[in-house]
Amino acid sequence: MKENIFSFIWAGICALLSVLLLVYLDGKLNFSSDYFFPAIVDTIHGWGMSVRKVLFFALYLLYWLTGIHKLFGNGILSLIGWVTLLIIIVVVLIAGYWFVTWLATFL
């Protein structure tokens, strides 16, 4: 039960982040004015709905029904692990360098 609730919420978070990314990219690249996108936007506005809401719910259903959001979560956890490992290695190298230079002052 708890896993299903978390999956439900995580799919929403992934969909929200995807919508924010798409809106940002659209602002930079303006791809909503190309190809067939203006007709889709006009149709959605004609229904009295917001494009962001329709995109959010479509992505939410896509993520939740297919389980893609779990792959995003696993990828983020792997990324956090690798970044943590890299930070630990850098800190150990810097501390080792300081220790060796401190030790060299006694020679």
Side-chain angles (χ1 to χ4, degrees):
M1 180 71 181
K2 188 174 20 172
E3 182 180 329
N4 291 336
I5 292 172
F6 182 73
S7 177
F8 190 74
I9 292 170
W10 182 243
I13 291 170
C14 288
L16 178 65
L17 293 175
S18 298
V19 168
L20 293 176
L21 179 66
L22 285 172
V23 168
Y24 174 77
L25 288 175
D26 182 44
K28 293 292 183 184
L29 303 175
N30 199 21
F31 59 82
S32 64
S33 62
D34 296 336
Y35 310 111
F36 56 88
F37 291 117
I40 294 172
V41 171
D42 289 340
T43 303
I44 292 172
H45 284 225
W47 293 336
M49 300 170 80
S50 169
V51 175
R52 285 184 183 183
K53 289 180 183 176
V54 170
L55 185 60
F56 171 78
F57 287 116
L59 286 174
Y60 180 78
L61 285 175
L62 176 74
Y63 290 159
W64 191 54
L65 293 176
T66 61
I68 296 173
H69 63 289
K70 293 178 184 177
L71 296 175
F72 289 150
N74 291 337
I76 290 171
L77 286 176
S78 297
L79 181 65
I80 290 171
W82 282 107
V83 168
T84 303
L85 181 66
L86 183 64
I87 289 172
I88 289 171
I89 290 171
V90 168
V91 167
V92 166
L93 288 175
I94 291 173
Y97 174 75
W98 285 346
F99 178 72
V100 169
T101 55
W102 173 76
L103 195 59
T105 61
F106 291 113
L107 295 177

